[in-house]
Amino acid sequence: MSLPPEAAARFIQDALRNDHNRVILERMPLLALLDAWLVAGCLFQTVWNLRAGRAPTDGIRDYDLFYFDPSDLSEAAERAVGARVQALFEDRGIVVEAKNQARVHTWYADWFGHDYPALTCARDGIDRFLVAGTCVALQPGPHGPTLYAPHGLDAIYNGLLAPNPLCNHRMLYLRKAADYAARWPGLRLAKAT
């Protein structure tokens, strides 16, 4: 989906009002991770906080990095990356988690009870968030962050939660959407099919 430049600029500006997001994006290149993106909650929840008149960081539990490294699908390799990530952001007093999207298919069914296809890049993982409108990510670039938002930004700014047809696991969606709605009462839930 092609986004109007002004909509993308607004979202990036809003997401960077959370100082943790700004610092993470500044430091991400130091990790030298392949196909790395700052994803999900720390971005759209910052926007929801701003819409609700709350502090940009309010209620954000963690900050997630997706990367794609098919050369080592082991849990140990992902843990080693996670340790490097935590060390880099230790001074921020936040939890930053890194997930190798090349290995999600190796554990997803055991953890969530649903099959998951092998992915070809980190954006494939972003495309499969349970709530369609929350499929957003930022990647540092030479001229500022690059935005990836395959479903656009309207649902985030309008507070609408709807299931993602690429990952339409009804009960998981309902649980996730209910958690979001409890934490940001202005959100509206679409019915899961």
Side-chain angles (χ1 to χ4, degrees):
M1 167 179 269
S2 179
L3 293 171
E6 60 278 0
R10 175 187 179 200
F11 181 82
I12 292 169
Q13 180 180 12
D14 286 347
L16 295 182
R17 288 186 58 191
N18 178 336
D19 197 46
H20 297 309
N21 290 336
R22 183 188 55 75
V23 170
I24 290 169
L25 287 165
E26 287 173 358
R27 295 182 189 175
M28 273 176 64
L30 299 173
L31 295 166
L33 297 174
L34 300 172
D35 192 16
W37 296 82
L38 177 63
V39 304
C42 63
L43 303 174
F44 61 79
Q45 291 170 11
T46 296
V47 171
W48 292 346
N49 282 335
L50 297 174
R51 285 179 66 242
R54 294 161 56 177
T57 59
D58 194 35
I60 298 175
R61 296 175 179 154
D62 58 26
Y63 294 74
D64 295 309
L65 298 180
F66 279 9
Y67 66 100
F68 193 86
D69 184 359
S71 69
D72 189 341
L73 301 185
S74 71
E75 185 177 347
E78 187 175 78
R79 271 198 316 270
V81 168
R84 288 178 38 227
V85 167
Q86 265 316 119
L88 183 60
F89 300 110
E90 187 174 32
D91 64 313
R92 300 302 300 175
I94 57 174
V95 175
V96 182
E97 297 181 345
K99 294 292 181 197
N100 183 0
Q101 296 304 289
R103 70 177 298 273
V104 175
H105 68 282
T106 68
W107 57 262
Y108 192 94
D110 290 338
W111 190 261
F112 291 110
H114 295 278
D115 289 335
Y116 198 90
L119 305 177
T120 61
C121 65
R123 288 180 310 279
D124 288 347
I126 297 160
D127 291 345
R128 297 182 63 81
F129 292 158
L130 289 167
V131 180
T134 64
C135 298
V136 292
L138 292 176
Q139 186 177 64
H143 304 292
T146 298
L147 171 64
Y148 181 67
H151 297 281
L153 300 168
D154 289 347
I156 293 172
Y157 282 98
N158 293 326
L160 181 63
L161 306 177
N164 184 347
L166 283 181
C167 196
N168 195 8
H169 306 312
R170 185 176 190 278
M171 294 312 295
L172 294 176
Y173 159 75
L174 289 173
R175 192 174 319 131
K176 176 75 73 177
D179 175 60
Y180 289 158
R183 292 162 55 204
W184 287 274
L187 301 178
R188 296 172 292 125
L189 276 65
K191 293 205 183 269
T193 55

